[in-house]
């Protein structure tokens, strides 16, 4: 939560004379897009305009959200994005904890921007911003946007557009209301969002019933060679660039693949290694159960971070070397 004096300062910043920008992280996911658009629609209800800027493109299955098409993708619209950030009076920083997570293009712009910066995020160890609302116990930044609206005492302004966006963010970041930090409060908020017009069946279908045959074939390939090590406690999945190309990889196609590793009885950690489509690095996703902390593990060995049970990283070796190194590190871990 913000303190009450912070909230009144923020309320004063939110005026039509101020230019407002909302920024989220590189490779935006459902919570990133949902929280950003949810906040934009809320500001609209207050009579304010805001630009949502994302560093790079996001999956097609998120583009059904109200006004997703108006999002400025900095990769494609450098000038417009750069000027908006430069000219902003207020910047909301959503669903990430450090400027560099918004990428090599937007990150430095964000650092240099003269705007007042307001962070709302649920990742560990946030950097300093002018105003910080950080809570790692909340499963989605979209839920935090709802709490922010409550703190402003403006729940009455929540409409269908806001509800759909926040519902999507909460649904995706909790894996369909299942992951560990999903709470009674989460469900109460979700109930409110449904009452305000969010349609669970429509949102689920738009977001998740979006498989293509080639994506399912890619999934079949990865599942066919899943490997389990460390007495069945660690599952390993991997994909090579050539395979991504062969199956006509589209952004978002591998989302959720890592979770299959955790669905195996007895696993504590799942790791998914994927060669980047263009550059020579390996993108890694880690997932874990209970108290096994993949955030620390990824920070320590794989140049990454995230949450206790969901983290990512980047490694500059070949995929074979990366997996060898991973197996060695994981054996040293105590779980
Ligand atoms: P995913 O595996 O879905 O890409 O990421 C899981 C979580 O880890 C997300 O919350 C994401 O923000 C975080 N994450 C992913 N990649 C990185 C990274 O390279 N560095 C850091 N610090 N966090 C990451
Ligand atoms: Mn999130």
């Amino acid at each position: 939560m913000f303190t009450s004096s912070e909230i009144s300062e923020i309320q004063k910043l939110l005026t039509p004379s101020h230019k407002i920008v909302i920024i989220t992280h590189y490779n935006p996911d459902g919570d990133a897009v949902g929280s950003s658009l949810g906040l934009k629609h809320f500001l609209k209800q207050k009579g304010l305009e805001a630009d949502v800027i994302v560093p790079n493109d996001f999956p097609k299955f998120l583009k059904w959200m109200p006004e997703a098409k108006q999002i400025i993708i900095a990769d494609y619209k450098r000038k417009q994005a750069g000027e908006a950030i430069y000219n902003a009076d207020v910047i909301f920083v959503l669903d990430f904890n450090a400027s560099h997570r918004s990428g090599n293009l937007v990150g430095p712009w964000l650092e240099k921007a003269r705007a007042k910066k307001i962070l709302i995020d649920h990742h560990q160890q946030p950097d300093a911003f002018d105003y910080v609302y950080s809570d790692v116990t909340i499963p989605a930044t979209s839920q935090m946007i709802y709490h922010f609206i409550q703190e402003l005492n403006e729940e009455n302004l929540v409409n269908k557009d806001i509800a759909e966006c926040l519902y999507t963010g909460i649904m995706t970041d909790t894996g369909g209301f299942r992951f560990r930090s999903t709470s009674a409060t989460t469900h109460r908020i979700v109930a409110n969002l449904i009452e305000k017009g969010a349609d669970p069946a429509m949102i689920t279908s738009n977001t998740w019933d979006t498989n293509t045959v080639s994506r399912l074939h890619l999934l079949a390939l990865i599942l066919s060679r899943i490997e389990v090590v460390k007495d069945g406690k660690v599952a390993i999945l991997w994909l090579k660039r050539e395979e991504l190309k062969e199956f006509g990889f589209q952004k978002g196609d591998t989302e959720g693949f890592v979770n299959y590793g955790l669905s195996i009885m007895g696993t504590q950690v799942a790791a998914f290694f994927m060669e980047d489509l263009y550059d020579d690095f390996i993108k890694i996703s880690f997932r874990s159960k209970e108290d096994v902390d993949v955030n620390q593990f990824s920070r320590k060995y794989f140049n990454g971070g995230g949450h206790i049970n969901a983290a990512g990283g980047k490694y500059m070796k070949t995929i074979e070397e990366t997996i060898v190194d991973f197996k060695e590190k994981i054996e040293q871990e105590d779980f």
Side-chain angles (χ1 to χ4, degrees):
M1 291 279 201
F2 294 111
T3 64
S4 54
S5 66
E6 283 173 332
I7 272 290
S8 54
E9 286 176 32
I10 291 170
Q11 190 70 284
K12 285 194 199 109
L13 288 173
L14 301 180
T15 66
S17 62
H18 283 155
K19 290 200 163 57
I20 305 171
V21 162
I22 300 166
I23 296 179
T24 190
H25 58 78
Y26 198 79
N27 286 339
D29 58 8
D31 188 31
V33 177
S35 59
S36 298
L37 285 177
L39 177 60
K40 178 189 162 121
H41 290 300
F42 169 69
L43 294 171
K44 197 176 183 180
Q45 286 283 85
K46 284 168 72 67
L48 305 170
E49 270 179 42
D51 284 326
V52 175
I53 297 178
V54 297
N56 61 338
D57 208 352
F58 53 99
K60 241 196 325 223
F61 62 75
L62 298 172
K63 297 204 171 167
W64 64 268
M65 275 192 259
E67 291 191 27
K69 300 264 162 35
Q70 272 83 61
I71 290 178
I72 301 166
I73 300 169
D75 254 3
Y76 305 152
K77 295 191 172 167
R78 286 180 184 227
K79 190 160 178 284
Q80 192 188 356
E83 282 175 2
I85 293 171
Y86 179 79
N87 291 324
D89 300 295
V90 180
I91 298 180
F92 283 93
V93 174
L94 301 189
D95 202 37
F96 66 106
N97 53 0
S99 299
H100 71 90
R101 292 279 302 128
S102 57
N104 297 335
L105 185 64
V106 173
W109 289 343
L110 176 58
E111 272 173 14
K112 285 190 215 109
R114 57 171 180 85
K116 288 279 181 206
K117 294 167 198 163
I118 304 170
L119 176 93
I120 303 181
D121 175 55
H122 64 142
H123 293 87
Q124 314 264 336
Q125 295 156 275
D127 281 357
F129 290 89
D130 297 301
Y131 299 93
V132 173
Y133 170 25
S134 162
D135 189 338
V136 300
T137 69
I138 298 182
T141 299
S142 298
Q143 180 177 327
M144 300 174 79
I145 297 295
Y146 196 91
H147 290 309
F148 174 56
I149 294 171
Q150 287 175 316
E151 258 203 296
L152 288 167
N153 236 329
E154 293 178 319
E155 235 176 316
N156 58 312
L157 293 183
V158 176
N159 62 7
K160 186 164 184 265
D161 286 349
I162 301 170
E164 287 184 340
C165 294
L166 298 185
Y167 186 101
T168 307
I170 298 171
M171 179 186 86
T172 51
D173 251 27
T174 56
F177 317 105
R178 290 178 305 156
F179 295 158
R180 203 159 59 133
S181 44
T182 309
S183 65
T185 304
T186 308
H187 281 277
R188 280 189 200 102
I189 288 173
V190 167
N192 292 343
L193 296 175
I194 293 171
E195 279 174 355
K196 299 286 186 176
D199 177 345
M202 182 278 276
I203 293 175
T204 306
S205 160
N206 283 354
T207 310
W208 280 342
D209 298 342
T210 52
N211 270 319
T212 57
V213 172
S214 55
R215 179 181 188 260
L216 290 180
H217 286 165
L218 193 65
L219 176 62
L221 170 71
I222 195 171
L223 293 181
S224 71
R225 63 185 182 206
I226 202 162
E227 184 187 356
V228 170
V229 296
K230 201 172 158 93
D231 293 331
K233 285 191 274 194
V234 178
I236 299 174
L237 305 93
W238 50 275
L239 274 175
K240 301 195 88 158
R241 181 180 301 153
E242 287 314 310
E243 295 164 340
L244 293 172
K245 286 189 187 156
E246 187 186 332
F247 290 93
F249 175 79
Q250 300 279 320
K251 200 167 230 349
D253 272 359
T254 56
E255 201 124 326
F257 281 9
V258 64
N259 295 318
Y260 286 94
L262 270 199
S263 74
I264 302 168
M265 210 191 310
T267 52
Q268 293 287 307
V269 172
F272 173 39
F273 303 92
M274 184 170 102
E275 288 178 351
D276 188 76
L277 206 49
Y278 310 105
D279 296 319
D280 281 328
F281 70 87
I282 308 300
K283 164 82 182 91
I284 313 173
S285 286
F286 294 118
R287 298 291 184 271
S288 65
K289 291 176 188 157
E290 297 160 21
D291 297 329
V292 178
D293 187 345
V294 283
N295 168 49
Q296 287 305 337
F297 180 75
S298 187
R299 273 173 195 269
K300 201 160 141 196
Y301 301 116
F302 291 99
N303 313 305
H307 312 275
I308 290 177
N309 293 133
K314 247 184 176 183
Y315 210 55
M316 307 312 282
K317 296 190 183 179
T318 67
I319 196 155
E320 290 82 8
E321 289 164 345
T322 306
I323 294 174
V324 168
D325 288 0
F326 169 74
K327 286 178 177 169
E328 194 184 301
K329 304 297 178 208
I330 204 83
E331 284 303 332
Q332 296 161 15
E333 292 294 303
D334 183 24
F335 64 84

